């Protein structure tokens, strides 16, 4: 059943329909909705079955979600791989365009390039390429460094030691009554040192 | 108000490849008291689990402890690493559950009738940003672009109790959290990524969208005597490590069930007959 009260939270804005989604398109958040399952739920609820079908066709084990979503919602051109035609564009620029596309960088329509004599820069629809480096757009560096050792951490909680508990108490203002009750409770249930309220059981 | 307990069994099998599923006795006792106490004062409560969990509760004859046992968590957790994200079942269950409800961890008990904000998110309490538990999110093994836009100064929320009245915001949080988990690569961490996805990200997303957070307890007074909430929390490890603690605790749980919920006395035998901790 169609529910027009259902919305997506974008960056400080709520989208109740596709028009509002497009006007406030926030790729980072919408990709999150896609991977987390909320996007298909919402499209179903608002009755957008055609778009829902296309979103469901996205392979969640793949990648390039941002460009695929931008295309489906009509905010960017078709991201499908296309045969690249270079009309009289210098070799350096062609190589740059090729490299950009290989790296998932949207360079827009390459046929609109108008300055064949200048080979140091060009602009695409989602960013720019200047002297061999990407300066903006959807290109992302992939982190390769891990900070965790091979052993890692385990468990869900590090039990508070007696020492740190005392410190905790030391910075907490207690009334005399609270102090007495706390002393009684801790002595009656030592587990309270690791959790709280366990004396109630 | 309705509430849910959540138990996903896949993390259990990630650690123990063989044998049948079981829950540690002290956790099971605490869960049962939590459910019965909630029903006594606050409303209905459902156990959301997977097919293995549902079969387990049925085999022990515990189904009547809740208002229903719901098999709604995907058995494969949709490919999320069960060791790294041992609490992912909570997010997957919340995604499937519609309507108004609070989430209560199995080791958390509410001893009083609650009256919660209808607009703010309510969590158990805040937590300090201890770098051993909550390191800089930029160090995570995850390709999650939203990270760089979140406020690192916002204190995480402990979600042993969680109530999100706005269903659309709940979907926002749940979706982003699941997306973070699915975007993460296994890297030998079994704590920081999980508590980020569940607890710190929630607070950060509230900050991003201007949603207020209330808490049941003041984080600086958690260990000050109070009678309204029980949270086993780190005591679970103490119960594993100390046989004397454990025996006394189990006895108190049994006495509590006999005195407050005598019609459920049968659960004691059911729990005592299941395998013990190895």
């Amino acid at each position: 059943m169609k529910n027009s009260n259902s919305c997506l939270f974008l960056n400080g804005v709520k989208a109740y329909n596709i028009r509002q989604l497009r006007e406030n398109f926030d790729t980072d958040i919408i990709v999150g909705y896609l991977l987390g399952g909320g996007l298909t739920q919402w499209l179903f609820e608002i009755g957008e079955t055609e778009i829902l079908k296309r979103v469901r066709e996205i392979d969640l084990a793949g990648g390039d979600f941002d460009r695929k979503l931008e295309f489906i919602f009509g905010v960017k051109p078709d991201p499908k791989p296309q045969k690249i035609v270079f009309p009289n564009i210098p070799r350096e620029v062609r190589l740059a365009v090729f490299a950009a596309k290989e790296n998932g960088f949207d360079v827009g329509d390459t046929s609109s390039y108008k300055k064949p004599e200048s080979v140091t820069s060009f602009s695409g629809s989602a960013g720019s390429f200047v002297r061999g480096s990407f300066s903006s757009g959807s290109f992302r560096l992939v982190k390769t460094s891990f900070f965790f050792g091979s052993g890692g951490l385990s468990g869900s909680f590090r039990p508070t030691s007696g020492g740190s508990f005392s410190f905790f108490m030391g910075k907490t203002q207690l009334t005399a009554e609270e102090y007495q009750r706390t002393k009684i409770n801790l002595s009656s249930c030592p587990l309270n040192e690791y959790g709280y309220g366990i004396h109630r059981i | 108000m309705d509430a849910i307990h959540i138990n996903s069994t896949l993390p259990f099998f990630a650690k123990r490849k063989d044998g049948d599923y079981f829950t540690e006795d002290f956790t099971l006792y605490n869960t049962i008291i939590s459910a019965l106490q909630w029903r006594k004062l606050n409303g209905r409560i459902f156990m959301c689990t997977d097919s293995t969990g549902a079969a387990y509760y049925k085999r022990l004859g515990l189904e009547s402890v809740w208002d229903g046992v719901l098999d709604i968590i995907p058995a494969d957790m949709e490919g999320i690493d069960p060791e790294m994200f041992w609490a992912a079942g909570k997010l997957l269950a919340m995604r499937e559950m519609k309507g108004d409800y609070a989430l209560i961890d199995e080791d958390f008990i509410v001893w009083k009738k609650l009256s919660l904000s209808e607009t703010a998110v309510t969590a158990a309490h805040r937590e300090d940003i201890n770098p051993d538990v909550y390191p800089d999110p930029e160090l995570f093994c995850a390709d999650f672009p939203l990270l760089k836009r979140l406020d690192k100064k916002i204190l995480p929320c402990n979600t042993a109790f969680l109530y999100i009245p706005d269903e659309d915001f709940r979907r926002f949080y749940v979706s982003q959290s699941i997306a973070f988990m699915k975007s993460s690569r296994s890297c030998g961490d079994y704590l920081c990524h999980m508590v980020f996805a569940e607890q710190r990200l929630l607070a950060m997303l509230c900050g991003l969208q201007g949603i207020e957070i209330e808490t049941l307890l003041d984080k600086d007074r958690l260990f000050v005597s109070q009678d309204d909430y029980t949270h086993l929390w780190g005591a679970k490890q103490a119960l594993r490590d100390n046989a004397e603690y454990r025996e006394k605790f189990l006895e108190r749980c049994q006495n509590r069930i006999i005195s407050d919920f005598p019609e459920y006395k049968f659960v004691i035998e059911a729990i005592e007959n299941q395998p013990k901790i190895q």
Side-chain angles (χ1 to χ4, degrees):
Chain A
M1 180 180 289
K2 190 168 180 175
N3 176 12
S4 57
N5 293 323
S6 177
C7 73
L8 294 186
F9 274 76
L10 301 178
N11 193 7
V13 179
K14 294 179 183 178
Y16 290 89
N17 52 49
I18 298 298
R19 180 181 59 79
Q20 291 172 342
L21 178 70
R22 292 182 60 176
E23 288 173 357
N24 301 284
F25 205 83
D26 187 321
T27 306
D28 295 344
I29 287 176
I30 295 171
V31 169
Y33 270 120
L34 171 74
L35 294 176
L39 183 59
T40 51
Q41 278 184 339
W42 179 71
L43 290 168
F44 177 77
E45 287 171 10
I46 64 169
E48 292 287 352
T49 52
E50 279 305 310
I51 297 177
L52 173 62
K53 187 180 168 197
R54 295 172 68 189
V55 169
R56 280 185 172 150
E57 287 171 353
I58 297 176
D59 177 10
L60 297 183
D64 244 359
F65 303 123
D66 44 2
R67 294 199 306 154
K68 289 171 183 168
L69 287 170
E70 286 165 355
F71 173 61
I72 288 172
F73 287 102
V75 295
K76 286 285 172 65
D78 188 346
K80 288 176 185 167
Q82 294 175 341
K83 189 176 179 183
I84 303 172
V85 179
F86 297 101
N88 299 321
I89 298 175
R91 181 174 178 275
E92 291 84 348
V93 176
R94 285 189 315 219
L95 288 174
V97 170
F98 181 74
K101 283 182 181 288
E102 282 288 291
N103 285 285
F105 191 74
D106 185 355
V107 296
D109 180 4
T110 53
S111 65
S112 63
Y113 183 77
K114 298 294 183 188
K115 296 180 180 177
E117 68 281 5
S118 170
V119 295
T120 53
S121 68
F122 74 88
S123 293
S125 62
S128 61
F129 177 81
V130 180
R131 293 189 188 88
S133 64
F134 296 104
S135 60
S136 65
S138 60
F139 180 79
R140 287 195 299 273
L141 288 171
V142 178
K143 288 195 192 76
T144 55
S145 60
F146 296 165
F147 75 103
F148 296 104
S150 57
L153 296 164
S154 62
S156 60
F157 179 77
R158 291 183 165 181
T160 311
S161 68
S164 60
F165 176 73
S166 301
F167 171 75
F168 204 86
M169 295 289 284
K171 72 173 184 179
T172 302
Q173 294 294 314
L174 300 183
T175 64
E177 185 197 348
E178 283 176 334
Y179 178 69
Q180 285 305 321
R181 289 176 61 208
T182 299
K183 275 208 312 183
I184 291 166
N185 281 321
L186 286 176
S187 62
S188 66
C189 183
L191 290 170
N192 273 346
E193 191 180 341
Y194 303 94
Y196 49 82
I198 300 173
H199 64 280
R200 279 289 267 123
I201 296 176
Chain B
M1 176 189 292
D2 285 348
I4 59 172
H5 276 150
I6 297 172
N7 181 19
S8 170
T9 63
L10 194 58
F12 172 91
F13 290 109
K15 286 185 176 175
R16 302 169 70 100
K17 307 296 180 192
D18 304 318
D20 292 333
Y21 174 78
F22 68 92
T23 303
E24 289 165 306
D25 48 9
F26 52 81
T27 298
L28 200 46
Y29 273 121
N30 204 83
T31 306
I32 290 168
I33 294 170
S34 174
L36 297 177
Q37 185 64 27
W38 182 265
R39 293 175 77 179
K40 184 177 178 180
L41 294 178
N42 285 291
R44 300 188 302 172
I45 186 164
F46 298 86
M47 166 56 80
C48 300
T49 183
D50 48 32
S51 53
T52 302
Y56 169 71
Y57 295 120
K58 185 175 184 180
R59 189 171 72 245
L60 289 188
L62 299 180
E63 289 169 303
S64 64
V65 166
W66 297 273
D67 291 280
V69 176
L70 311 176
D71 171 7
I72 59 168
I73 300 176
D76 65 350
M77 293 202 333
E78 297 185 352
I80 296 170
D81 184 337
E83 283 191 278
M84 191 170 176
F85 293 108
W86 32 268
K90 290 171 72 172
L91 284 306
L92 293 167
M94 275 196 283
R95 187 184 66 190
E96 302 305 317
M97 289 294 287
K98 309 297 178 196
D100 196 38
Y101 60 86
L103 181 153
I104 307 175
D105 273 3
E106 294 172 280
D107 67 342
F108 195 88
I109 303 172
V110 178
W111 294 101
K112 69 173 187 178
K113 185 169 177 56
L114 292 182
S115 177
L116 303 175
S117 168
E118 294 177 2
T119 55
V121 167
T122 301
H125 53 82
R126 296 276 192 169
E127 291 189 5
D128 289 316
I129 301 177
N130 175 346
D132 288 341
V133 180
Y134 296 108
D136 188 330
E138 290 185 13
L139 298 172
F140 284 142
C141 316
D143 182 16
F144 188 66
L146 193 57
L147 276 182
K148 60 183 179 295
R149 291 162 51 184
L150 301 173
D151 186 348
K152 296 181 200 172
K153 297 190 291 296
I154 297 176
L155 295 182
C157 296
N158 184 290
T159 54
F161 181 92
L162 178 61
Y163 175 58
I164 304 178
D166 184 334
E167 203 166 344
D168 291 314
F169 181 75
R170 191 196 309 150
R171 172 154 57 200
F172 174 61
Y173 156 60
V174 165
S175 289
Q176 302 304 326
S177 176
I178 293 172
F180 172 78
M181 293 189 278
K182 289 186 175 178
S183 303
S184 298
R185 297 176 297 279
S186 297
C187 59
D189 165 55
Y190 305 112
L191 175 65
C192 303
H193 284 71
M194 184 67 253
V195 293
F196 174 82
E198 185 188 0
Q199 306 200 129
R200 192 176 185 188
L201 183 59
L202 169 67
M204 290 171 148
L205 294 176
C206 285
L208 186 70
Q209 303 291 1
I211 304 285
E212 282 186 44
I213 297 173
E214 295 185 356
T215 59
L216 301 178
L217 292 158
D218 178 347
K219 74 173 176 62
D220 291 328
R221 303 175 75 81
L222 289 181
F223 301 97
V224 174
S225 174
Q226 53 81 28
D227 294 331
D228 296 332
Y229 309 100
T230 292
H231 190 188
L232 290 188
W233 212 6
K236 291 195 288 289
Q237 193 58 48
L239 288 162
R240 289 182 194 113
D241 295 342
N242 189 317
E244 188 183 346
Y245 279 177
R246 184 157 150 247
E247 287 309 312
K248 286 181 178 173
F249 178 77
L250 295 178
E251 190 180 334
R252 281 163 49 199
C253 289
Q254 291 165 359
N255 290 338
R256 172 63 68 180
I257 290 170
I258 290 167
S259 66
D260 290 13
F261 311 103
E263 65 274 32
Y264 287 93
K265 202 166 62 175
F266 66 89
V267 305
I268 296 171
E269 188 177 351
I271 296 172
E272 293 309 305
N273 286 339
Q274 72 153 0
K276 300 296 179 191
I277 304 169
Q278 301 301 311

